[in-house]
Amino acid sequence: MSQQFTYYSNELCQIHQEPCTNMCINTKCLQPLCPECIEIHFREHKECQIESLKSCRTNCSKKIRSSISEMNQILSLQEMKTIENSSQYIELCRESLQQLKSKIIDKIDLYNKKLLQDFSTNLIQAFKESQIKEVYNRIKNLIQQLDELGTKLETQSDCQIKTIRSIYLLNTTQLIQSANQEAYKEILKLKFPLLVVSQNLNQKLDELFAQSIQIQFKKTNTTMLKIEEKQQLINQPINIQDVPSLDQTPLLSQISEIQQVKKQSEFTITVEDYLLPSVQNKVLHYFKYNSNELNLINLDNPKEMKKINLKIPFQIPVFHQSLITKTGQLYLIGGTTIDNNYPNTKSNGIYLLDKYSLVNVGSLLISRSSHGCCIVGDYIYSISGLGQNQTLEKTCERYNYILRKSESIQDCLYPSIASCCVNYNNQFIYKFGGLYEKQQMNFIERFNIKDMIWQAIDPQITNKDIPLFKGLKQFAAGVQISPNSLMIFGGYDENTVSSNQSFLFTIKGENHILHMVNIKPLKIPGGFWHQQCIIYKQELFVIQNQENKDGETMETKTILRFKDRWIIC
């Protein structure tokens, strides 16, 4: 006879002080029971489910093992395995890329062979259809005859008179003209093959690779969603067969996948808002020249403008620069003071708006006006411009508005007034054009924030844009609109004629492309004395000068906004 065991718990029944042998497994109860409690519990608990402790222990053990098994199945998913085997997946990607590289090289080799074969065939055919070879041989023969005459002149002393007479009588001018005419006649008829390489080959290759070969990230819904549905609907252990095999895993297939992606508009604004979310008053601003007036434009409703009469003991300098920081602090820098006693005096003041006043919080190292200005990090950069006595300043400096301290930086390469300066990814400041010696200056340079040096930039201009591009203007405005592109627009030429020109300036490593000229021209030509652009809710906001019928700049301004097209507010 088999021996049966009864499982007892160390816990004693609180009523009978006997070891517990059973349990009510209703999750609302879970009461341990001794043998005497069982009958009582049946009477008092109508929904009781009494099991022996042995059975409870067995069931709990199964539950734990099942849960561990299911958890291990989740960890066995290929997407989860990448956590421990990331190097393996990187190696798979490397192998895929190496195979792709070999295929591309093979394609290039085949294309090169085809080009060379076509070139050779066309060259041979061109010579067959032309008499240029005969002309070549005739000219070569003439040169040989002339060379023989020269040799006779130097070596045969007994017949030098005869040779000299022959040379004097020889019409070399006619010989040369005749040879020249014959050669050019055949050259013009010759369909000579040329290997032509597009100037923007690198750009086209970059675009081709960017569109054709990508690492993409997709939700792995073929695995995780199945798991979630199973758990929610049937609440049973996951069958490992439902998990995709290594060959089916979308994560791996994406690595070597070549897809055409839908191209966004080049002018789509994708950079984040300039002003931080903590800034309560999202505004555009401008100080009215030679007054005490400040105007604030509500970005949520650009038709709403607030005029503030500042309590200051001086008039706002003309051709100053003013900027608002990401945190909403408003600074006024430099400019020219209008004073009958001291005309054209340049200001070195750096002022911070404090309620209804301007507080002097620092000084420029060099007084300047009509200078380039740009914020990068905690610094306000002041670049070139006009100094005292109307001298053109090549000096540059920056002001730390946290420490309230100015310091000089390297002189720019191309001093100018009214240049357009744009922050690019907090790594570079790009300076476009301006005015030099009353002439429009068509140079671009950039300041490397890390290395603190200026560098000349020579951009590629696409062939279709060359006839449209009218040079870099003074008092143009610009801003970064995407991770790789700046948008530059408006300004005046050296004769103060307003421009509606706009273009994109795209940066790809050390390659710079000026393109999309006048795809999005300004609705009204004009310049920007107040050059700071604000990006807000994927729109560009800026204040444009307004002119009368005679082309004279008026005190009133035009508020512009741009989201794939220009809108006058």
Side-chain angles (χ1 to χ4, degrees), residues 198-207 444 457-463 465-466 469 503-506 508 510-517:
S198 173
Q199 290 183 351
N200 58 349
L201 175 63
N202 286 337
Q203 176 194 351
K204 288 182 177 179
L205 286 175
D206 286 343
E207 291 174 354
I444 301 172
I457 300 297
D458 185 17
Q460 302 171 32
I461 304 180
T462 56
N463 291 334
D465 286 318
I466 290 174
F469 181 62
F503 61 87
L504 288 185
F505 190 80
T506 298
K508 294 182 178 179
E510 291 302 310
N511 295 321
H512 299 80
I513 304 148
L514 195 158
H515 61 127
M516 298 289 179
V517 176

Side-chain angles (χ1 to χ4, degrees), residues 300-505:
D300 287 309
N301 181 14
K303 292 182 180 180
E304 179 183 318
M305 181 184 292
K306 182 180 180 181
K307 186 182 294 185
I308 299 173
N309 290 316
L310 300 170
K311 298 176 182 177
I312 52 176
F314 59 91
Q315 300 287 291
I316 299 294
V318 302
F319 298 112
H320 63 264
Q321 284 286 1
S322 64
L323 298 166
I324 190 168
T325 68
K326 283 181 171 288
T327 55
Q329 294 177 306
L330 206 163
Y331 287 86
L332 182 143
I333 307 107
T336 299
T337 59
I338 305 298
D339 190 320
N340 293 331
N341 296 322
Y342 302 97
N344 292 323
T345 299
K346 308 306 175 193
S347 169
N348 68 346
I350 300 175
Y351 297 91
L352 171 65
L353 179 67
D354 184 14
K355 294 182 180 178
Y356 295 101
S357 183
L358 289 173
V359 180
N360 189 301
V361 290
S363 299
L364 292 168
L365 300 176
I366 301 291
S367 302
R368 63 184 80 223
S369 175
S370 296
H371 51 292
C373 209
C374 191
I375 290 183
V376 182
D378 298 333
Y379 290 92
I380 298 173
Y381 288 76
S382 295
I383 298 164
S384 197
L386 280 177
Q388 299 290 18
N389 301 318
Q390 299 297 94
T391 57
L392 189 60
E393 282 291 339
K394 64 178 181 179
T395 61
C396 304
E397 61 185 282
R398 65 180 186 176
Y399 171 74
N400 187 314
Y401 59 82
I402 304 298
L403 302 177
R404 296 189 173 181
K405 181 181 178 182
S406 293
E407 61 182 8
S408 60
I409 60 174
Q410 187 185 52
D411 293 353
C412 62
L413 303 176
Y414 307 114
S416 61
I417 64 170
S419 57
C420 172
C421 297
V422 184
N423 174 6
Y424 175 69
N425 289 336
N426 289 326
Q427 297 173 351
F428 301 98
I429 296 173
Y430 280 84
K431 174 176 171 286
F432 297 84
L435 207 61
Y436 175 78
E437 302 276 337
K438 297 183 179 180
Q439 295 294 317
Q440 185 172 305
M441 192 184 71
N442 288 311
F443 292 113
I444 301 172
E445 60 185 310
R446 75 175 183 187
F447 184 73
N448 186 316
I449 303 296
K450 181 181 177 182
D451 297 332
M452 299 286 282
I453 58 170
W454 286 97
Q455 175 189 10
I457 300 297
D458 185 17
Q460 302 171 32
I461 304 180
T462 56
N463 291 334
K464 64 180 180 181
D465 286 318
I466 290 174
L468 301 173
F469 181 62
K470 303 303 180 184
L472 301 169
K473 308 301 180 182
Q474 59 168 317
F475 288 116
V479 68
Q480 183 174 357
I481 63 169
S482 69
N484 299 103
S485 292
L486 313 179
M487 185 177 179
I488 313 297
F489 46 88
Y492 307 106
D493 67 13
E494 62 264 41
N495 298 315
T496 325
V497 176
S498 297
S499 170
N500 68 345
Q501 175 178 270
S502 74
F503 61 87
L504 288 185
F505 190 80

Side-chain angles (χ1 to χ4, degrees), residues 135 139 142 174-184:
V135 173
I139 294 173
L142 279 172
Q174 186 178 354
L175 279 175
I176 294 169
Q177 287 179 349
S178 177
N180 193 45
Q181 287 172 1
E182 281 190 84
Y184 273 98

Side-chain angles (χ1 to χ4, degrees), residues 115-126:
L115 280 176
L116 187 59
Q117 183 62 44
D118 290 346
F119 188 92
S120 302
T121 303
N122 289 327
L123 186 62
I124 293 168
Q125 186 63 30

Side-chain angles (χ1 to χ4, degrees), residues 77 222-223 226-227 230 237-245 248:
L77 297 174
T222 55
T223 56
K226 282 185 179 179
I227 293 169
K230 248 184 192 315
I238 303 165
N239 190 338
I240 194 67
Q241 293 177 352
D242 289 330
V243 180
S245 66
Q248 296 171 323

